Amino acid sequence: MKKNTIQEKMFLELKQKTVFESTQKYGLEYLDNVFERNVYPTEESLKNLSVFEEAFPKKSSDAGQVIEVLNQFGGPATVPTLGGRYFGFVCGSALPVAIAAKNLGTYWDQCPTMNVLSPIGAKLESVVEGWLIELFNLPKDTSAGFVSGTTTANLCGLAAARYRILKRQGWDINQKGLYAAPKIRIVTGQAHSSVIKALQLLGFGQESIEWAEVDDQGRVIPESLPELDENTIVILQAGNVNTGSFDPFEEICDKAQKANSWVHIDGAFGLWAEAVDGLRHLTKGCNMATSWAVDGHKTLNTPYDCGIILCKDREAITSALETSGAYLDKSDNRDGMYYTPEMSRRARIIELWASMKYLGKQGIDEMVSIMCDRAKQFAKEINSLNGFVVENEVVFNQVIVRCETDATTQNVLKNIQELRECWLGGSVWKDKKVIRVSICSWATTEKDVRRSVNSFKEALEMENAPTEFE
Ligand SMILES: *Cc1c(COP(=O)(O)O)cnc(C)c1O
């Protein structure tokens, strides 16, 4: 019998579809269980990951078997950030409609680099650009670039700022580079580590940062800002990664506008407050900035790999991210590649569009308000337990908690993680170790919060229980 070529084999798999059917089945089974299961993989499933440590296969195998091994050993070793009791870092869940849209988009496999490469991708990007301007009350001609996350969005916004400030002085960074360029000043308060990374990548270096003083919640104190000028980039944040606090945008942006400085806001999870009637006081004045970085995959709950760079100065951002080539087929419409550092990328816009279309303004308002209510509930219930103190003003979705001593905090955190009822990480706030709670999932219910607070209680009891040696 003649053996099938790899091409014939793949056509057959595509025609028979059994591999797609089994994948769909496994996926749906995963969803059935994800809201109830342990919030961190068991020791056994972690150990089983060793099945992946095999030599690179010499021969092609069966597609069904590839998927089967992935499902059997991969699924149990996932962290169910999709569920309602994952409070680590700042991770969103994913809306059902967004998972479904992503599935459809997977079959399409689109690359929205240019209109000519994906008309649907390009269309959705233009439409969502307009929706975001409306939702965040941004200046009319603000551009949106669809990137992998806020880390990249920060990089793009700061690259645009660098381009504009130098261009004003007759220095074209794209041509002349940075080595002999006029100095750019960087002013910030408590910038996120991704901002620092972006500054490093852009050639500024940490020593060039002028740090403004912050208050006890990590907000920039406007009076402490150094004199601003037109060579300054001011970096503010909507949502401090520990306390969830917001810099006072109105006062600072007003100063910056008068001085003609560039203001970049890192609003990874917090910019969404601007879309919520009951929270908009937190972001007051944020629309006076020049660029904004925000994630879809945190507060909005799109699947991962969804960040957005919004920029009022369209010419600066497209110039900073410029690519050209005779083979590139630029259209009269918006071509996505001029707003991102990448050329090829997946069409993450499909999930972002589906999420925004599904929720609408009212749905976003309701969903984000609920997250904040849950954070307040968490803080209240924790505060009523002996042995725990909430360390921040809970204004958005972040709660930071500590025990009496650093050692207790650390051990209790470890116990909570081992109990696997919920998952949280640690941080340091005002020189003390803390447990960080970030409520960022549409799926977190009052019951999830109660169950997680119980886990805090149990973890402290474990820590206080006398050991057999005492
Ligand atoms: C998460 C986060 C980032 C980084 O965003 P990614 O999407 O993980 O790249 C930047 N700033 C803040 C405040 C964040 O919370």
Side-chain angles (χ1 to χ4, degrees), residues 90 148-152 154 192 194 237-241 266 268-269 295 297-298:
V90 186
S148 55
T150 291
T151 302
T152 307
N154 281 331
H192 186 265
S194 66
Q237 60 185 348
N240 179 294
V241 82
D266 172 357
F269 61 93
D295 269 325
H297 57 218
K298 290 181 178 173

Side-chain angles (χ1 to χ4, degrees), residues 105-216:
T106 297
Y107 290 108
W108 293 353
D109 195 28
Q110 293 294 285
C111 180
T113 303
M114 291 168 284
N115 267 272
V116 73
L117 191 46
S118 177
I120 176 62
K123 174 59 77 184
L124 295 181
E125 288 198 357
S126 322
V127 169
V128 170
E129 182 177 80
W131 288 0
L132 290 166
I133 292 170
E134 189 185 324
L135 191 65
F136 293 137
N137 305 304
L138 301 180
K140 252 204 177 71
D141 195 40
T142 299
S143 68
F146 300 97
V147 294
S148 55
T150 291
T151 302
T152 307
N154 281 331
L155 178 72
C156 295
L158 296 172
R162 185 180 71 165
Y163 176 88
R164 173 56 69 220
I165 288 173
L166 292 177
K167 187 73 179 177
R168 276 201 295 246
Q169 302 191 48
W171 188 274
D172 181 345
I173 177 88
N174 291 344
Q175 297 303 319
K176 295 163 97 74
L178 198 59
Y179 286 118
K183 186 169 161 51
I184 294 177
R185 293 173 55 211
I186 312 284
V187 173
T188 192
Q190 273 199 350
H192 186 265
S193 53
S194 66
V195 168
I196 309 297
K197 184 203 289 229
L199 291 171
Q200 287 167 188
L201 284 170
L202 290 168
F204 292 120
Q206 294 191 33
E207 285 178 14
S208 68
I209 299 173
E210 298 171 47
W211 298 96
E213 273 174 54
V214 296
D215 67 11
D216 65 343

